[in-house]
Amino acid sequence: MKPGLFLAALTLILGALTAALSDWTEPRIEAQQVLAAERRLLDLLPSGSYDNRPLQRPINLPSGGLLANPEPSQGYLATLHGQPSAVLIPVSASGYEGPIQLLVAISPSGRLIASKVLDERETQGLADFHAPVRRQWLAQLNGRQLSDSAEYWQLRADGGAIDQITGATRTSRAVNQAQQRALQFFAEQHEQLLRGQP
Amino acid sequence: MIAALPLLSLSPLLAASALLVTAIPVAALALLLPQLINILISPLRSRLPPAGLSIAALLFGATLLSAIDMAIQSHSAELSQALKPYLPLLLLPALASSLTPTSRLRWGFASLCASCTIVGAALLREGLGHGSLLEHGQWLFGQDFQAWHWGTGWPLLTQAASGFILLGLGLALLRRCHLKEHRPHDERR
């Protein structure tokens, strides 16, 4: 067989093989993508604290306002045995290098369960929330609620009790204030949010 | 030209070494991909001219990488996302190994060195830079996996430039050892 013909045949065979493999793996890949999206948003909640699929019933939230999201966004209601166990609310903070997108989990009683950074442009290695040490800093704010004293909510640089991230006071303050705004939004809208309505 | 192709594998090696969880698959592929392409084109070496052999190697390499990419996507979407920029670049050294007349044993040794370098660099960069080991290990080992953390790290090591710094230090160390071995007796006195 001539080399040209051989290579054409090889291209067809390998192309068909790749197409067949792609067809075979497609459902599994899609399932993994859905699971990854759920993990990305729901790993804030303790395992066993919800038994619904919160992402399948999103709550539409407006842009601007207390949440300061640049575009309309979606919150999620987690339930356990049919009762609300947490509300997840996206909120924007104005960081040092640009906007920081946070997701905040709030209990029905208005207590901050946990929060995580979904998107950011902060300086890598200094103020980014990929590093475990800064994720631990974020975790130390868990359990707070609006009724806690002002000192309990403020950074040490502002006379409060929270140690700011070293070298990133502005980022720390922005994240701290965004969490408070999310709690305030929940306090104002909790009846609708706990019913899973905007 | 072909001899310079392995240099292009530096970018995936250095970039993926920020975390062990990305370094391990890239190191495994850097080791296995050239061997797999060599095995597949071996029966064609006597039948195809050099230009045809290059195309065949490219076809096999692209097919293998596509299959590996789909397998990774089926295993973990997050891992696939983290590896996306680097995997296709691994094809270049793999092709170079199949197209240059250097012996397979020598290429195998070079691949092994590259794999050890990336895992070693990842151990240092993640361990000392992030203060953790196998962060995001659940992408590879399942959702129950827990990474090890031991506090704050040295932020410089988390940056891409630290890959070059570590590589430079490693090369300097190798050079020093090599010079010591080959220095004549009378020079030492």
Side-chain angles (χ1 to χ4, degrees):
Chain A
M1 193 188 276
K2 283 185 179 174
L5 269 179
F6 180 82
L7 286 173
L10 188 67
T11 309
L12 279 176
I13 293 168
L14 293 179
L17 200 68
T18 308
L21 196 61
S22 167
D23 210 36
W24 185 59
T25 52
E26 196 181 351
R28 200 178 281 209
I29 290 172
E30 278 177 8
Q32 276 298 328
Q33 283 170 346
V34 171
L35 281 175
E38 285 191 357
R39 277 196 293 268
R40 183 167 181 260
L41 296 178
L42 300 178
D43 62 356
L44 279 179
L45 303 174
S47 58
S49 68
Y50 64 98
D51 56 7
N52 66 331
R53 303 283 300 271
L55 268 61
Q56 293 188 347
R57 282 189 59 199
I59 308 165
N60 293 319
L61 300 170
S63 58
L66 275 172
L67 300 179
N69 292 316
E71 290 171 10
S73 52
Q74 293 179 324
Y76 306 98
L77 174 66
T79 60
L80 183 65
H81 309 308
Q83 294 299 313
S85 59
V87 176
L88 288 105
I89 298 174
V91 57
S92 284
S94 182
Y96 189 77
E97 299 281 349
I100 302 172
Q101 187 69 47
L102 289 145
L103 186 69
V104 177
I106 301 169
S107 74
S109 63
R111 190 174 286 276
L112 180 72
I113 297 174
S115 58
K116 71 185 288 188
V117 172
L118 296 178
D119 196 21
E120 62 173 331
R121 291 177 203 159
E122 298 307 281
T123 313
Q124 279 203 3
L126 181 70
D128 69 292
F129 285 86
H130 294 297
V133 64
R134 284 179 283 283
R135 289 208 298 271
Q136 282 164 15
W137 177 86
L138 205 54
Q140 71 166 344
L141 307 173
N142 297 348
R144 287 159 205 259
Q145 55 187 1
L146 276 182
S147 55
D148 290 339
S149 68
E151 186 203 357
Y152 202 52
W153 267 112
Q154 281 176 338
L155 300 181
R156 207 170 287 278
D158 301 328
I162 304 170
D163 282 321
Q164 55 273 10
I165 300 170
T166 310
T169 305
R170 187 165 156 185
T171 305
S172 315
R173 192 179 290 125
V175 168
N176 186 21
Q177 287 171 353
Q179 288 173 327
Q180 289 180 66
R181 283 189 280 110
L183 287 174
Q184 206 175 333
F185 178 82
F186 177 81
E188 287 176 10
Q189 310 272 337
H190 72 277
E191 280 181 16
Q192 292 97 312
L193 290 169
L194 292 176
R195 283 203 304 267
Q197 291 169 355
Chain B
M1 170 70 184
I2 285 171
L5 280 178
L7 285 176
L8 292 172
S9 62
L10 265 178
S11 60
L13 294 191
L14 294 175
S17 67
L19 289 172
L20 263 174
V21 77
T22 50
I24 290 169
V26 169
L29 277 179
L31 189 63
L32 292 177
L33 199 62
Q35 316 304 327
L36 286 173
I37 294 176
N38 259 323
I39 290 167
L40 287 169
I41 62 166
S42 286
L44 308 178
R45 283 187 193 278
S46 55
R47 293 181 192 174
L48 289 173
L53 203 63
S54 309
I55 297 172
L58 182 66
L59 285 171
F60 281 128
T63 308
L64 279 171
L65 263 186
S66 302
I68 290 165
D69 185 40
M70 283 185 261
I72 293 174
Q73 283 188 62
S74 312
H75 178 69
S76 162
E78 293 101 330
L79 182 63
S80 161
Q81 197 62 36
L83 292 176
K84 218 173 243 315
Y86 316 124
L87 284 190
L89 284 172
L90 290 175
L91 190 57
L92 296 167
L95 281 180
S97 80
S98 59
L99 299 178
T100 44
T102 318
S103 76
R104 254 191 235 179
L105 196 67
R106 203 168 164 186
W107 268 110
F109 181 68
S111 305
L112 187 65
C113 285
S115 299
C116 292
T117 305
I118 186 176
V119 174
L123 271 170
L124 283 173
R125 288 182 67 190
E126 190 183 339
L128 301 178
H130 288 288
S132 66
L133 265 190
L134 283 168
E135 179 72 15
H136 303 302
Q138 58 272 37
W139 296 348
L140 268 180
F141 308 112
Q143 291 307 311
D144 297 330
F145 185 85
Q146 295 285 328
W148 291 279
H149 295 116
W150 51 80
T152 55
W154 190 27
L156 174 67
L157 285 173
T158 63
Q159 307 299 307
S162 68
F164 285 102
I165 295 170
L166 283 178
L167 194 69
L169 285 174
L171 285 174
L173 203 66
L174 268 179
R175 193 175 151 78
R176 187 171 170 79
C177 294
H178 190 257
L179 279 177
K180 260 189 184 172
E181 272 175 21
H182 290 85
R183 197 177 289 170
H185 256 297
D186 45 276
E187 258 186 53
R188 281 184 210 170
R189 290 173 211 156

